[in-house]
Amino acid sequence: MMFDKSRSAGALSGEIARLYASALQRALLPLGLSRAQFVVLSELWIEDGMTQRELTDRLGLEQATLANTLARMERDDLVTRKPHPGDGRSQQICLTLAARELREPATSAAVEADSLVAAGLPSAERELFLSMLGRVAANLRTDRTP
């Protein structure tokens, strides 16, 4: 049996993810943001002041990866750290004014990049495609394979 990547859900999904990531990076470049920074900002725009641990859990990232991204974001004046009022061992990651001002243009750039994914699909097919992708993602989140 031969592997046909043109008929493989995993291979096609991986290619879509790679192409989307590239489109998103190009869309964010004029704003001076990386994809990684945008992902972190997206969570902080929903809930500012999360701890690094909360961000790690929500984003599914390794602690070291997020720590490096946050260090660059601090350097770029996108976030600040302040002591957590309820836990002296933790710090809250807080948006700066510069990061708050990037919300609308960065979100618009992401929507533009995202629109490329289903471009050319009629409305009904686009809705079916998104519904199916949501179910596939849910299946993989709950995969119990050893």
Side-chain angles (χ1 to χ4, degrees), residues 58-75:
R58 286 202 190 175
L59 297 171
L61 296 174
E62 294 289 327
Q63 186 78 15
T65 301
L66 181 61
N68 289 335
T69 300
L70 289 172
R72 286 190 302 275
M73 292 176 77
E74 257 187 308
R75 177 200 68 203

Side-chain angles (χ1 to χ4, degrees), residues 10-32:
L12 289 170
S13 297
E15 184 176 7
I16 289 168
R18 181 181 57 76
L19 293 168
Y20 169 72
S22 179
L24 180 59
Q25 185 62 54
R26 282 191 310 275
L28 294 170
L29 189 62
L31 301 173

Side-chain angles (χ1 to χ4, degrees), residues 8-128:
S8 164
L12 289 170
S13 297
E15 184 176 7
I16 289 168
R18 181 181 57 76
L19 293 168
Y20 169 72
S22 179
L24 180 59
Q25 185 62 54
R26 282 191 310 275
L28 294 170
L29 189 62
L31 301 173
L33 289 176
S34 70
R35 285 181 301 113
Q37 290 172 327
F38 175 74
V39 169
V40 171
L41 288 173
S42 294
E43 287 300 321
L44 291 172
W45 288 326
I46 294 168
E47 185 179 342
D48 194 8
M50 282 191 275
T51 64
Q52 188 168 325
R53 167 59 115 199
E54 290 169 329
L55 279 168
T56 299
D57 291 345
R58 286 202 190 175
L59 297 171
L61 296 174
E62 294 289 327
Q63 186 78 15
T65 301
L66 181 61
N68 289 335
T69 300
L70 289 172
R72 286 190 302 275
M73 292 176 77
E74 257 187 308
R75 177 200 68 203
D76 296 344
D77 191 38
L78 296 171
V79 297
T80 59
R81 298 173 198 249
K82 67 180 188 180
H84 190 285
D87 182 355
R89 298 167 298 159
S90 296
Q91 292 183 322
Q92 291 179 295
I93 310 299
C94 299
L95 294 166
T96 63
L97 178 59
R100 284 189 197 93
E101 289 175 345
L102 283 170
R103 183 177 186 164
E104 198 282 318
T107 302
S108 292
V111 168
E112 178 184 320
D114 189 66
S115 71
L116 299 173
V117 176
L121 293 179
S123 179
E125 286 183 11
R126 184 175 23 258
E127 290 306 313
L128 179 60

